[in-house]
Amino acid sequence: MATTRQAHTVWEGNLIEGKGVVSLDSSGIGEYPVSWPARSEQANGKTSPEELIAAAHSSCFSMALSHGLAGAGTPPTKLETKADVTFQPGTGITGVHLTVVGEVPGLDEEAFVKAAEDAKANCPVSQALSGTTITLSASLA
């Protein structure tokens, strides 16, 4: 069954001096301020599209990796995934780097890296970002 999730943003003003608030409507878990300086300079307590993409990618990748490992008979005890999304003003998103450290009883490093590469290639967010360079560092704890 397909699902659809919603978020919306209310923006006031021009790009440089304006500001907005993004609301996570489906979950109702919050509203988060956004601004151009928070996107192109320091976050200063605000979020950005890139941070939201990083959250989506790290969680999707973790789910895909967990599913793949469990399907291979080696379910993880813990996966800790970080996504670094790089934004270059004037160019756009220039890359995503995923870093995952896993606790997977009965699995060696080589098999873990292979499973992580598969998850990177096949998680839905990676596929949605296929026009962006996605790199990966994977290791066991």
Side-chain angles (χ1 to χ4, degrees):
M1 176 168 80
T3 59
T4 301
R5 300 291 183 249
Q6 299 85 30
H8 79 275
T9 300
V10 175
W11 186 267
E12 297 174 345
N14 65 30
L15 174 63
I16 305 300
E17 293 137 9
K19 62 183 177 181
V21 174
V22 62
S23 299
L24 304 182
D25 298 333
S26 298
S27 64
I29 61 172
E31 297 182 341
Y32 303 94
V34 294
S35 69
W36 176 254
R39 185 177 194 185
S40 61
E41 299 167 19
Q42 295 297 315
N44 292 322
K46 296 178 175 72
T47 193
S48 68
E50 291 72 30
E51 184 176 37
L52 297 170
I53 290 169
H57 205 174
S58 66
S59 59
C60 182
F61 171 86
S62 294
M63 289 180 197
L65 180 54
S66 175
H67 181 67
L69 290 167
T74 53
T77 304
K78 180 179 179 181
L79 298 172
E80 187 168 334
T81 305
K82 180 175 84 163
D84 295 302
V85 176
T86 302
F87 173 74
Q88 177 64 49
T91 302
I93 294 173
T94 58
V96 179
H97 183 73
L98 298 169
T99 303
V100 61
V101 177
E103 295 176 13
V104 187
L107 195 67
D108 66 24
E109 190 95 11
E110 183 179 342
F112 181 72
V113 170
K114 184 175 186 284
E117 287 288 351
D118 185 64
K120 179 188 82 145
N122 293 303
C123 93
V125 172
S126 288
Q127 292 177 350
L129 298 173
S130 63
T132 302
T133 300
I134 302 170
T135 56
L136 172 69
S137 299
S139 62
L140 292 171

